[in-house]
Amino acid sequence: MTRGRIRARLRRSHLYTFSCLKPSTVEEAPHPLQGPGFSRTVYCNQPLLHEKKPLYYCRNDISTTKYNVLTFFPKALFEQFRRVANIYFLLAACLSASPISPFSPLSMIAPLAFVVGLSMAKEALEDSRRFVQDVKVNRRKVNRHKSDGAFGPRSWQSIMVGDVLKVKKDQFFPADLLLLSSSYEDGICYVETMNLDGETNLKVKRSLEATLNLDNDEVFKDFAGTIRCEDPNPNLYTFVGNLEYERQIYPLDPSQILLRDSKLRNTEYIYGVAIFTGHDSKVMQNSTKSPSKRSTIEKKMDYIIYTLFTVLILISVISSIGFVIKTKYQTPTWWYLRPDNIEYQYDPKKVGVAGMSHLVTALILYGYLIPISLYVSIEVVKVLQATFINQDIQMYDEETGTPADARTSNLNEELGQVDTILSDKTGTLTCNQMDFLKCSIAGTAYGVRSSEVELAAAKQMASDLEDQDSDLSNFPLPKAKMQVSWDNVKKDEEIGLDAVVTSKGDDDQKRAIKGFGFEDDRLMNCNWLKEPNADDLLMFFRILAVCHTAIPELNEETGVFTYEAESPDEGAFLVAAREFGFEFCRRTQSSIFIHERFSASRQVVEREYKLLNLLDFTSKRKRMSVIVRDEEGSIFLMCKGADSIIFDRMSKNGKMYLEATTKHLNEYGEAGLRTLALAYRKLDEQEYSAWNNEFHKAKSAVGADRDSMLERVSDMMERELILVGATAVEDKLQKGVPQCIDNLAQAGLKIWVLTGDKMETAINIGFACSLLRQGMKQICITTPVSDSVASDVKQAIKDNISNQLTNASQMIKLEKDPHAAFALIIDGKTLTYTLEDDMKHQFLALAVDCASVICCRVSPKQKALVTRLVKQGTGKTTLAIGDGANDVGMIQEADIGVGISGVEGMQAVMASDFAVAQFRFLERLLVVHGHWCYKRIAQMICYFFYKNIAFGLTIFYFEAFTGFSGQSVYDDWYMILFNVVLTSLPVISLGVFEQDVPSEVCLQFPALYQQGPKNLFFDWYRILGWMGNGLYSSLIIFFLIVTIFYDQAFRADGQIADMAVVGTTMFTCIVWAVNCQIALTMSHFTWIQHLFVWGSIATWYIFLLLYGMLSPEYSKSAYQILAEALSPAPIYWITTLLVSVTCNLPYFVHISYQRCFYPMDHHIIQEIKYYKKDIEDQHMWTRERSKARQETKIGFTARVEAKIRQLKGRLQKKQTMTISAPS
Amino acid sequence: MASSSAAGAGSTDPAAARRNTKRPKYSKFTQQELPACKPILTPRAVISAFLLVSIVFVPIGVASLIASRKVVEIVFRYESTCIPNNVTDKVAYIQSSADKTCNITLHVNKHMKSPIHVYYQLDNFYQNHRRYVKSRSDEQLRDRSEENSTSTCKPEDTANGKAIVPCGLIAWSLFNDTYSFSRVNQSLKVNKEGISWKSDREHKFGKDVFPRNFQSSAIKGGASLNESIPLSKQEDLIVWMRTAALPTFRKLYGRIEEDLNEGDSINVILKNNYNTYSFNGKKKLVLSTTSWLGGKNDFLGIAYLTVGGLCFFLALSFTIVYFVKPRQLGDPSYLSWNMNPGGH
């Protein structure tokens, strides 16, 4: 790492006023650790003591695998036989060894072994992937104290409780550690807990005063201490324990605990003792076993299987009754069966036993109704589909080098049925990187570059204007006049667009500076000196450079300062200040040094600002201030904060730019930018010292009201401000997010944003992603503030919220304008009430009516609860997408969990079902792969049932002709091959390669996606249709053949068809019929489908030929059957033709009829593509593309439409005015 | 944050190399872009398909029907005719050792070209019963050394402590009515050679396997076998052992290799030995010529004509409907968003 130099040690605590300053006067008593739950004892630096009981704790290696080498076989086998169908087949296989079985044991066991073996192989493969992941984590290295003060790298897995570790900057903590000391003198360190709770703000952790001196490698030679603390638990925010060190006992609290999987930031190194390792660590205790999810289709498939089981039992009972009757009344006369000397299962004297044993036989015999290979075929198909998802080059992220990853393949088709997307914000929609983009100083707006939102909207607008043009000409107004004025409007618009587009042109070369996207020559290169309000500009830049808590870091290679700031906004401000010529270069205990440049000639003046006080940023205060004394000795309070807060605190003469700034702020907000207002106040000496006394008093106060005192005192100072300007920072959305949201919205998906961020931020991002727009009615549901803590308060609050909900619902109901859109914004605190049972349905009803829903300040648990509410409340398929550990709950709860990979934290990805590198890939994942997979699987399952019904029922019919004796007309091998070889590959190729429309059409016509959520391809109508088709085919196949081969000769030589001939002919017809059927079902034939479908038929003949060539010892009645008996007989071939055509006729008529008279969207598009109409008539193609979307109120298309409606409205008003004026 | 950009700059090369390994390889297969034919059912294709089917099916149907009609078949049911009128207990009669010869006359109504196949037909005889089908030993039939593998043959596996060859119910219940034909006192030779499948004679029934101990148990089933003729020459047995698929079946008895002329009367001396009386089975004697399609069965031809006709009708109705209510292919106005605007 070419990281800069070691930073001068600095007591960071001076930078903080109250948030992390702990009054050192208060001595806390050690925690009384008694009773169960507090049994853990850790001997620091003596890990060897922990090698045996009772101090043996679990090791630090983690394992997320389901099986190990020993348990794999029994456990995986057990898993397999949890499927009802498999149990049935297992029983059948067991019984096949007994004389009851109609088949040879091999023909029952072989397919089962194949099916189960394949599923287990898949299971093993998936588990081994998890294992590799674990190994990777376990092999990470960390510096551990070996002995005598020497530290050396050890892998994570060999870390033991009690080990002293040295963790360096940007490393993850390998276990839960007790912080001993850090590179900072006062033992603080910064921790990024994004993996745990998704918060991007750095957290400060402080070591105990007592261990501060343990700050270099050598001192650990003799270090020893004992920690007694609570037992492992999943609570991230609590810790109770005592440290016994140098014969003193110190209490420990969560601020000394560094949690596994959080990351050390802004701190060179820390020393710590491992307390909880491996699965004892809090984050692992938190991890829940990922629930095994099943797709809706698969759940429905179970019902079909149950239906088929019912049919199976029904026909078994029927045939058993038939058998009993036959046996009782007829068999005694069938002397050729020797009824006087007969086995129990046919014995007419013991009809009961015979009937029961026949029932078992029948259950096995008709087992072909239940497709044994269905599960395994589906599994194979899904794995292949998943491979295609993984291989999709258009979901590969070049920047991070991560392809998409379908981690569990059993939800592929669920991707095609998603109704609601619940998205995390930070890291998912945004990259958590801020770019300084615009500012308004002294009432003048600077910064010409457009935000991404503006760009995207402009692009969309440009492409839509054409269409709207024609729409507008329908106005019943004087044409010429209208045209003129509309042209004017349009021209304005176009000028705007031009500006946008040109600014985009030279966009890319300047992107070099991270965090700085500003572009305006009036301010750059010291040109600001020529601006009219140069003084205000100067003040603005100084505030940017001074008012912060960051630390500069010199990159020695480039000589440029970079900044380590608590929040990325602050970093962006400093970079901006640097670029404007106010380079923050040094911070000491009491001063901030700025390199100020007043001319382009690189002449730099270093100015010192003495830092007198720092009033921190908290989410409650929404502002931060510094009080500094400059070199001239004047004292300034510089303040930045949310505009609403600053505007409330302005002095009378500070409101000079208020109006212009407000206007600019609105514009920025509309453009999706985060804004802060900057203000200052000049203080005189007495005023300041008077206040400072107060402040000190408050600071050194002890007790509960210290914080409120501090706040009150700060508040006193932050008044009478003079507004300078405002900044607009772009919270950079990830690439393509607005487009993706737009397209998903057009595909009819609802998008909810659940974020841990503040409401303001969330709303800004809502604007940025076009989930919100100007003119949308925002419904904010918040908790009323109340100070009392009485017990009835809760009820009062709930009533209040309930009222808010009812009012909002009323408002939506009363709204007349069809274009009106509502946005629901709710915060986490309110959610705790609304998610309670009595209110959640009211909340859900409201949320469903709103075009967009944004939940802010929600905890990970609430995310999961909201997801569950949507999932269960609407009964629709939900998809949750997120990147951090805080999204894990929601990802696991949703029907489909998608993790953002490529970022460092792996928790979300580990819990997810699919991982993509960027949010924008979601579009392709859903609209292309989801759509395809849904249709493929739906068609495949329907076809599966069809083919097994068509085959299985012929066995039943034949039974009736054998006196229900359980004889099958087919050779055992035919039956084995039917499911495993002869019909499996075509159906797999259907499931893997079928495409109704190509991928680009899926993307161009997002409305096609709705076929999935509407479940057009797997409704009962369709399933029963297919089953009926199977029934029809079975009837046709059986009765045609039985009648054709009835009793006469089937060859010119006079031979009569025996059972083998009839069975083989029937089977030939089945193979032809079902394979032709699948060929009719497919709409997309690559060479693979051709090979599989026609190859299957060919395989049957080849098999029959080869099987017949085997010695009769093996082939039995099929010996030479094709070569000798069947192929010379014309009737065999003619029958095959007749039966296969007749079987497929109804389906063919059905699809022709449907396509002719009730074409579905994909039919039309296929036809357009087939006739290349899209190329011939491009206008039509683009028009249809623009129409092919769901009515949507979110996304920038909706925003553009709203804008156009607005323009139209304005135009109409103008028209009426111009018309009415002359008259 | 800014520092990470600096770090990124220094480590581009190895990172890029590492990335490229994860990059999915482009191929038309992995991107699901393989060239494919995407046939669609245009009206023309549908109508042509129906027409094609009818054009193919109708001639086949006509040909089959003609073939079937050409076949001359004489069926004579004799199980009641051949019982003397005074017998009341038919089963006892058939099981008795009385002479059961029966003379019948068949009239040829149409010229029958040789070869004329002679069949016997049984009704209500469940040769496909599971117990019956399984009751045989292929090993024993094929291989002399496997004489004792009779485990599947119960209860006809052994008699008097020795294995029965051929064992099992099928062989035991061998059909034993015999027919001899004569025309105007001139006997018609029935050729009983070549009535079984060649593969059966050569590979399934051993040339050195001789019947032994057959029909020697207490209850006699059907025919006895000449113990000096190997099984591969016992063609009646071979034919019988190929079990029929349905309870009504014919089996080849032999061939008359002379033409029979219209108006001929054929005298049949029939030995009515086989017991179908216990289960009310019919017995029929069938003389039939064959066509290229086999015996007489109009069904195939009728089925072909029906399907062919149906397809023609479908082609016609689709054509009419297209003319009445045409839909231009690829007409975007049929897209769902154009059909019911706003009604998504």
Side-chain angles (χ1 to χ4, degrees), chain A residues 1155-1209:
Chain A
R1155 187 185 275 273
C1156 289
F1157 306 112
Y1158 303 100
M1160 295 172 88
D1161 292 342
H1162 66 274
H1163 289 144
I1164 305 278
I1165 292 168
Q1166 281 168 1
E1167 286 164 6
I1168 294 176
K1169 277 271 169 194
Y1170 184 80
Y1171 287 112
K1172 303 210 163 46
K1173 279 196 177 177
D1174 54 325
I1175 300 162
E1176 283 166 19
D1177 189 357
Q1178 293 194 338
H1179 178 71
M1180 177 276 295
W1181 186 245
T1182 35
R1183 187 188 68 222
E1184 293 308 325
R1185 272 172 56 183
S1186 67
K1187 281 199 224 163
R1189 53 194 185 212
Q1190 298 293 306
E1191 196 85 7
T1192 172
K1193 286 171 179 171
I1194 55 171
F1196 56 73
T1197 309
R1199 181 185 283 201
V1200 170
E1201 272 162 14
K1203 190 120 195 172
I1204 286 164
R1205 266 198 304 279
Q1206 200 185 335
L1207 283 175
K1208 269 193 227 168

Coordinates of all heavy atoms in Angstrom, one line a residue, chain A residues 1155-1209:
Chain A
R1155 N -53.7 -18.2 -31.5 CA -52.9 -17.3 -32.1 C -53.7 -16.5 -33.1 O -53.5 -15.3 -33.3 CB -51.7 -17.9 -32.8 CG -50.7 -17.0 -33.4 CD -49.7 -17.7 -34.1 NE -48.6 -18.1 -33.3 CZ -47.5 -17.4 -33.0 NH1 -47.5 -16.1 -33.4 NH2 -46.6 -17.9 -32.2
C1156 N -54.7 -17.1 -33.7 CA -55.4 -16.4 -34.7 C -56.4 -15.4 -34.1 O -56.5 -14.3 -34.6 CB -56.3 -17.4 -35.6 SG -55.3 -18.4 -36.6
F1157 N -57.0 -15.8 -33.0 CA -58.1 -14.9 -32.6 C -57.9 -14.3 -31.3 O -58.4 -13.2 -31.0 CB -59.4 -15.8 -32.5 CG -59.7 -16.4 -33.9 CD1 -59.6 -17.8 -34.0 CD2 -59.9 -15.6 -35.0 CE1 -59.8 -18.4 -35.2 CE2 -60.2 -16.2 -36.2 CZ -60.1 -17.6 -36.3
Y1158 N -57.1 -14.9 -30.4 CA -56.8 -14.3 -29.2 C -55.3 -14.2 -29.0 O -54.8 -14.8 -28.0 CB -57.5 -15.0 -28.0 CG -59.0 -15.1 -28.2 CD1 -59.6 -16.2 -28.6 CD2 -59.8 -13.9 -27.9 CE1 -61.0 -16.3 -28.8 CE2 -61.1 -14.0 -28.1 CZ -61.7 -15.2 -28.6 OH -63.1 -15.2 -28.8
P1159 N -54.6 -13.5 -29.8 CA -53.1 -13.6 -29.7 C -52.7 -12.9 -28.4 O -53.3 -11.9 -28.0 CB -52.7 -12.8 -30.9 CG -53.8 -11.9 -31.3 CD -55.0 -12.6 -30.9
M1160 N -51.7 -13.4 -27.8 CA -51.1 -12.8 -26.7 C -49.9 -11.9 -27.2 O -49.5 -12.0 -28.3 CB -50.5 -13.8 -25.7 CG -51.6 -14.7 -25.2 SD -51.0 -16.1 -24.2 CE -50.8 -15.3 -22.6
D1161 N -49.5 -11.0 -26.3 CA -48.5 -10.0 -26.7 C -47.3 -10.7 -27.3 O -46.8 -10.2 -28.4 CB -48.1 -9.2 -25.5 CG -49.2 -8.4 -25.0 OD1 -50.2 -8.2 -25.8 OD2 -49.2 -7.9 -23.8
H1162 N -46.8 -11.7 -26.7 CA -45.6 -12.3 -27.3 C -45.8 -12.9 -28.7 O -44.9 -12.9 -29.5 CB -44.9 -13.3 -26.3 CG -45.7 -14.5 -26.1 ND1 -46.7 -14.6 -25.1 CD2 -45.6 -15.7 -26.7 CE1 -47.2 -15.8 -25.1 NE2 -46.6 -16.5 -26.0
H1163 N -47.0 -13.3 -28.9 CA -47.3 -13.8 -30.3 C -47.2 -12.7 -31.3 O -46.5 -12.9 -32.3 CB -48.8 -14.3 -30.3 CG -49.0 -15.6 -29.6 ND1 -50.2 -15.9 -28.9 CD2 -48.2 -16.7 -29.4 CE1 -50.1 -17.0 -28.3 NE2 -48.9 -17.5 -28.6
I1164 N -47.8 -11.6 -31.0 CA -47.7 -10.5 -31.9 C -46.3 -10.1 -32.2 O -45.8 -9.9 -33.3 CB -48.5 -9.3 -31.4 CG1 -49.9 -9.6 -31.0 CG2 -48.4 -8.1 -32.3 CD1 -50.8 -9.7 -32.2
I1165 N -45.5 -10.0 -31.1 CA -44.1 -9.5 -31.2 C -43.3 -10.6 -32.0 O -42.5 -10.2 -32.9 CB -43.5 -9.3 -29.8 CG1 -44.2 -8.0 -29.2 CG2 -42.1 -9.0 -29.9 CD1 -44.0 -7.8 -27.8
Q1166 N -43.6 -11.8 -31.8 CA -43.0 -12.9 -32.6 C -43.3 -12.6 -34.1 O -42.4 -12.7 -34.9 CB -43.5 -14.2 -32.2 CG -42.8 -14.8 -30.9 CD -43.5 -16.0 -30.4 OE1 -44.5 -16.5 -31.0 NE2 -43.1 -16.5 -29.3
E1167 N -44.5 -12.3 -34.3 CA -44.9 -12.1 -35.7 C -44.2 -10.9 -36.3 O -43.7 -11.0 -37.4 CB -46.4 -12.0 -35.8 CG -47.1 -13.3 -35.7 CD -48.6 -13.1 -35.4 OE1 -49.1 -12.0 -35.4 OE2 -49.3 -14.2 -35.1
I1168 N -44.2 -9.8 -35.5 CA -43.5 -8.6 -36.0 C -42.1 -8.9 -36.3 O -41.6 -8.6 -37.4 CB -43.6 -7.5 -35.0 CG1 -45.1 -7.1 -34.8 CG2 -42.8 -6.3 -35.4 CD1 -45.3 -6.0 -33.7
K1169 N -41.5 -9.7 -35.4 CA -40.1 -10.0 -35.6 C -39.9 -10.9 -36.8 O -39.0 -10.8 -37.6 CB -39.5 -10.7 -34.4 CG -39.1 -9.7 -33.3 CD -37.6 -9.3 -33.5 CE -37.3 -8.2 -32.6 NZ -36.0 -7.6 -33.1
Y1170 N -40.9 -11.9 -37.0 CA -40.8 -12.9 -38.0 C -40.9 -12.2 -39.4 O -40.1 -12.5 -40.3 CB -41.9 -13.9 -37.9 CG -41.9 -15.0 -38.8 CD1 -41.1 -16.1 -38.6 CD2 -42.8 -15.0 -39.9 CE1 -41.1 -17.2 -39.5 CE2 -42.8 -16.1 -40.8 CZ -41.9 -17.2 -40.6 OH -41.9 -18.2 -41.4
Y1171 N -41.7 -11.2 -39.5 CA -41.9 -10.6 -40.8 C -41.0 -9.3 -40.9 O -41.1 -8.5 -41.8 CB -43.3 -10.1 -41.0 CG -44.2 -11.3 -41.3 CD1 -45.2 -11.7 -40.4 CD2 -44.1 -12.0 -42.5 CE1 -46.0 -12.8 -40.7 CE2 -44.9 -13.1 -42.8 CZ -45.9 -13.5 -41.9 OH -46.7 -14.5 -42.1
K1172 N -40.1 -9.2 -39.9 CA -39.1 -8.1 -39.9 C -39.8 -6.7 -40.0 O -39.3 -5.8 -40.6 CB -38.1 -8.2 -41.0 CG -37.4 -9.6 -41.0 CD -36.0 -9.4 -41.5 CE -35.1 -10.6 -41.1 NZ -35.7 -11.9 -41.3
K1173 N -41.0 -6.7 -39.5 CA -41.8 -5.4 -39.5 C -41.1 -4.4 -38.7 O -41.2 -3.2 -38.9 CB -43.2 -5.6 -39.0 CG -44.1 -6.2 -40.0 CD -45.5 -6.0 -39.5 CE -46.5 -6.5 -40.5 NZ -47.9 -6.4 -40.1
D1174 N -40.4 -4.8 -37.7 CA -39.7 -3.8 -36.8 C -38.7 -3.0 -37.6 O -38.4 -1.9 -37.2 CB -39.1 -4.5 -35.6 CG -38.2 -5.6 -36.0 OD1 -38.5 -6.3 -37.0 OD2 -37.2 -5.8 -35.3
I1175 N -38.1 -3.6 -38.6 CA -37.1 -2.9 -39.4 C -37.8 -2.1 -40.5 O -37.4 -0.9 -40.7 CB -36.1 -3.9 -40.0 CG1 -35.4 -4.7 -38.9 CG2 -35.1 -3.2 -40.9 CD1 -34.7 -5.9 -39.3
E1176 N -38.8 -2.7 -41.0 CA -39.5 -1.9 -42.1 C -40.2 -0.7 -41.6 O -40.2 0.4 -42.1 CB -40.5 -2.9 -42.8 CG -39.9 -3.8 -43.7 CD -40.9 -4.9 -44.1 OE1 -42.1 -4.7 -43.9 OE2 -40.4 -6.0 -44.6
D1177 N -40.9 -0.9 -40.5 CA -41.7 0.2 -40.0 C -41.2 0.6 -38.6 O -41.8 0.2 -37.6 CB -43.2 -0.3 -39.9 CG -44.1 0.8 -39.6 OD1 -43.6 2.0 -39.3 OD2 -45.4 0.6 -39.5
Q1178 N -40.1 1.3 -38.6 CA -39.5 1.6 -37.3 C -40.3 2.5 -36.5 O -40.3 2.4 -35.2 CB -38.1 2.2 -37.5 CG -37.2 1.2 -38.2 CD -35.8 1.6 -38.1 OE1 -35.5 2.8 -38.0 NE2 -34.9 0.7 -38.2
H1179 N -41.1 3.3 -37.1 CA -42.0 4.2 -36.3 C -42.9 3.5 -35.5 O -43.1 3.7 -34.3 CB -42.7 5.2 -37.3 CG -43.6 6.1 -36.6 ND1 -43.1 7.2 -35.8 CD2 -45.0 6.1 -36.5 CE1 -44.1 7.8 -35.3 NE2 -45.3 7.2 -35.6
M1180 N -43.6 2.5 -36.1 CA -44.5 1.6 -35.4 C -43.8 1.0 -34.2 O -44.3 0.9 -33.1 CB -45.1 0.6 -36.3 CG -46.1 -0.4 -35.7 SD -45.3 -1.8 -35.0 CE -44.5 -2.6 -36.4
W1181 N -42.6 0.5 -34.5 CA -41.9 -0.3 -33.5 C -41.6 0.6 -32.3 O -41.8 0.2 -31.2 CB -40.6 -0.8 -34.1 CG -39.8 -1.7 -33.3 CD1 -38.5 -1.5 -32.8 CD2 -40.1 -3.0 -32.8 NE1 -38.1 -2.5 -32.1 CE2 -39.0 -3.5 -32.0 CE3 -41.2 -3.8 -32.9 CZ2 -39.0 -4.7 -31.4 CZ3 -41.2 -5.1 -32.3 CH2 -40.2 -5.5 -31.6
T1182 N -41.1 1.8 -32.5 CA -40.8 2.7 -31.4 C -42.0 3.1 -30.7 O -42.1 3.2 -29.5 CB -40.0 4.0 -31.9 OG1 -40.5 4.3 -33.1 CG2 -38.5 3.7 -31.9
R1183 N -43.1 3.3 -31.5 CA -44.3 3.7 -30.8 C -44.8 2.6 -29.9 O -45.2 2.8 -28.7 CB -45.4 4.0 -31.9 CG -46.7 4.6 -31.4 CD -47.8 4.6 -32.4 NE -48.2 3.3 -32.8 CZ -48.4 2.9 -34.1 NH1 -48.2 3.7 -35.1 NH2 -48.8 1.7 -34.3
E1184 N -44.8 1.4 -30.4 CA -45.3 0.3 -29.5 C -44.4 0.1 -28.3 O -44.8 -0.2 -27.2 CB -45.3 -1.0 -30.3 CG -46.4 -1.0 -31.4 CD -47.7 -0.6 -30.9 OE1 -48.1 -0.9 -29.8 OE2 -48.5 0.1 -31.7
R1185 N -43.1 0.3 -28.6 CA -42.2 0.2 -27.4 C -42.5 1.2 -26.4 O -42.5 0.9 -25.2 CB -40.7 0.4 -27.9 CG -40.1 -0.8 -28.4 CD -38.7 -0.5 -29.0 NE -37.9 0.2 -28.1 CZ -36.7 0.6 -28.4 NH1 -36.2 0.4 -29.7 NH2 -35.9 1.2 -27.6
S1186 N -42.8 2.4 -26.8 CA -43.1 3.4 -25.8 C -44.4 3.1 -25.1 O -44.6 3.6 -24.0 CB -43.1 4.8 -26.4 OG -44.2 4.9 -27.3
K1187 N -45.3 2.4 -25.8 CA -46.6 2.1 -25.1 C -46.5 0.9 -24.3 O -47.4 0.7 -23.4 CB -47.6 1.9 -26.2 CG -48.2 3.2 -26.8 CD -49.5 2.9 -27.5 CE -49.6 3.5 -28.9 NZ -50.6 2.9 -29.7
A1188 N -45.6 0.1 -24.6 CA -45.5 -1.2 -23.9 C -45.0 -1.1 -22.5 O -44.0 -1.7 -22.1 CB -44.7 -2.2 -24.7
R1189 N -45.7 -0.3 -21.7 CA -45.3 -0.3 -20.3 C -46.5 -0.1 -19.5 O -47.5 0.4 -19.9 CB -44.3 0.9 -20.1 CG -44.8 2.2 -20.6 CD -43.7 3.2 -20.7 NE -44.2 4.5 -21.1 CZ -43.5 5.3 -21.9 NH1 -42.3 5.1 -22.3 NH2 -44.1 6.5 -22.2
Q1190 N -46.3 -0.4 -18.3 CA -47.4 -0.3 -17.3 C -47.6 1.1 -16.9 O -46.6 1.9 -16.9 CB -47.1 -1.2 -16.1 CG -47.0 -2.6 -16.4 CD -48.3 -3.2 -16.8 OE1 -49.3 -3.2 -16.2 NE2 -48.2 -3.9 -18.0
E1191 N -48.8 1.5 -16.7 CA -49.1 2.8 -16.2 C -48.3 3.0 -14.9 O -48.4 2.2 -14.0 CB -50.6 2.9 -15.9 CG -51.1 4.3 -15.7 CD -51.5 4.9 -17.0 OE1 -51.5 4.2 -18.1 OE2 -51.8 6.1 -17.0
T1192 N -47.5 4.0 -14.9 CA -46.7 4.2 -13.7 C -46.6 5.6 -13.3 O -46.8 6.5 -14.1 CB -45.2 3.6 -14.0 OG1 -44.4 3.9 -12.9 CG2 -44.7 4.2 -15.3
K1193 N -46.4 5.7 -12.0 CA -46.4 7.1 -11.5 C -45.0 7.4 -10.9 O -44.7 8.5 -10.4 CB -47.4 7.3 -10.4 CG -48.8 7.4 -11.0 CD -49.9 7.3 -10.0 CE -51.2 7.4 -10.7 NZ -52.3 7.2 -9.8
I1194 N -44.1 6.5 -11.0 CA -42.7 6.8 -10.6 C -41.8 6.6 -11.8 O -42.2 6.1 -12.8 CB -42.3 5.9 -9.4 CG1 -42.5 4.4 -9.8 CG2 -43.1 6.2 -8.2 CD1 -42.0 3.5 -8.8
G1195 N -40.6 6.9 -11.6 CA -39.6 6.8 -12.6 C -39.6 8.1 -13.4 O -40.5 8.9 -13.3
F1196 N -38.5 8.4 -14.1 CA -38.4 9.7 -14.8 C -39.3 9.8 -16.0 O -39.7 10.9 -16.4 CB -37.0 10.1 -15.1 CG -36.2 9.1 -15.9 CD1 -36.5 9.0 -17.3 CD2 -35.2 8.4 -15.4 CE1 -35.8 8.1 -18.0 CE2 -34.5 7.5 -16.1 CZ -34.7 7.4 -17.5
T1197 N -39.7 8.7 -16.5 CA -40.7 8.8 -17.6 C -42.0 9.4 -17.1 O -42.5 10.3 -17.7 CB -41.1 7.4 -18.1 OG1 -39.8 6.7 -18.4 CG2 -41.9 7.5 -19.4
A1198 N -42.4 9.0 -15.9 CA -43.6 9.6 -15.3 C -43.3 11.0 -15.0 O -44.2 11.9 -15.1 CB -43.9 8.8 -14.0
R1199 N -42.1 11.3 -14.6 CA -41.7 12.7 -14.3 C -41.8 13.5 -15.5 O -42.4 14.6 -15.5 CB -40.3 12.7 -13.7 CG -39.9 14.1 -13.3 CD -38.4 14.1 -12.9 NE -38.3 13.6 -11.6 CZ -37.2 13.8 -10.8 NH1 -36.2 14.6 -11.3 NH2 -37.1 13.3 -9.6
V1200 N -41.3 13.0 -16.6 CA -41.4 13.8 -17.9 C -42.8 13.9 -18.3 O -43.2 15.0 -18.7 CB -40.6 13.0 -18.9 CG1 -40.8 13.6 -20.3 CG2 -39.1 13.0 -18.6
E1201 N -43.6 12.9 -18.1 CA -45.0 13.0 -18.5 C -45.7 14.1 -17.7 O -46.5 14.8 -18.2 CB -45.7 11.6 -18.4 CG -45.5 10.8 -19.6 CD -45.8 9.3 -19.4 OE1 -46.4 9.0 -18.3 OE2 -45.5 8.5 -20.2
A1202 N -45.4 14.0 -16.4 CA -46.0 15.0 -15.5 C -45.6 16.4 -16.0 O -46.5 17.3 -16.0 CB -45.6 14.8 -14.1
K1203 N -44.4 16.6 -16.3 CA -43.9 17.9 -16.8 C -44.6 18.3 -18.0 O -45.0 19.4 -18.2 CB -42.4 17.8 -17.0 CG -41.7 19.1 -17.3 CD -40.7 19.3 -16.2 CE -40.2 20.8 -16.2 NZ -39.3 21.0 -15.0
I1204 N -44.8 17.3 -18.9 CA -45.4 17.7 -20.2 C -46.9 18.0 -20.0 O -47.4 18.9 -20.6 CB -45.2 16.5 -21.2 CG1 -43.8 16.5 -21.7 CG2 -46.2 16.6 -22.4 CD1 -43.4 15.2 -22.3
R1205 N -47.5 17.3 -19.1 CA -48.9 17.6 -18.7 C -49.0 19.0 -18.2 O -49.9 19.8 -18.6 CB -49.4 16.6 -17.7 CG -50.1 15.5 -18.2 CD -51.0 14.8 -17.2 NE -50.2 14.4 -16.0 CZ -49.5 13.3 -15.9 NH1 -49.5 12.5 -17.0 NH2 -48.8 13.0 -14.9
Q1206 N -48.0 19.3 -17.4 CA -47.9 20.7 -16.8 C -47.8 21.7 -17.9 O -48.5 22.7 -17.9 CB -46.7 20.7 -15.9 CG -46.7 21.8 -14.8 CD -45.4 21.8 -14.1 OE1 -44.7 20.8 -14.0 NE2 -45.0 22.9 -13.5
L1207 N -46.9 21.4 -18.9 CA -46.7 22.4 -20.0 C -48.0 22.5 -20.8 O -48.3 23.6 -21.1 CB -45.6 21.8 -20.9 CG -44.1 22.0 -20.4 CD1 -43.2 21.4 -21.3 CD2 -43.9 23.5 -20.2
K1208 N -48.6 21.4 -21.0 CA -49.8 21.4 -21.8 C -50.9 22.3 -21.1 O -51.5 23.1 -21.7 CB -50.4 20.0 -21.9 CG -49.9 19.3 -23.2 CD -50.7 18.0 -23.4 CE -49.9 16.8 -23.6 NZ -50.7 15.6 -23.5
G1209 N -50.9 22.0 -19.8 CA -51.9 22.8 -19.0 C -51.6 24.3 -19.1 O -52.5 25.1 -19.4

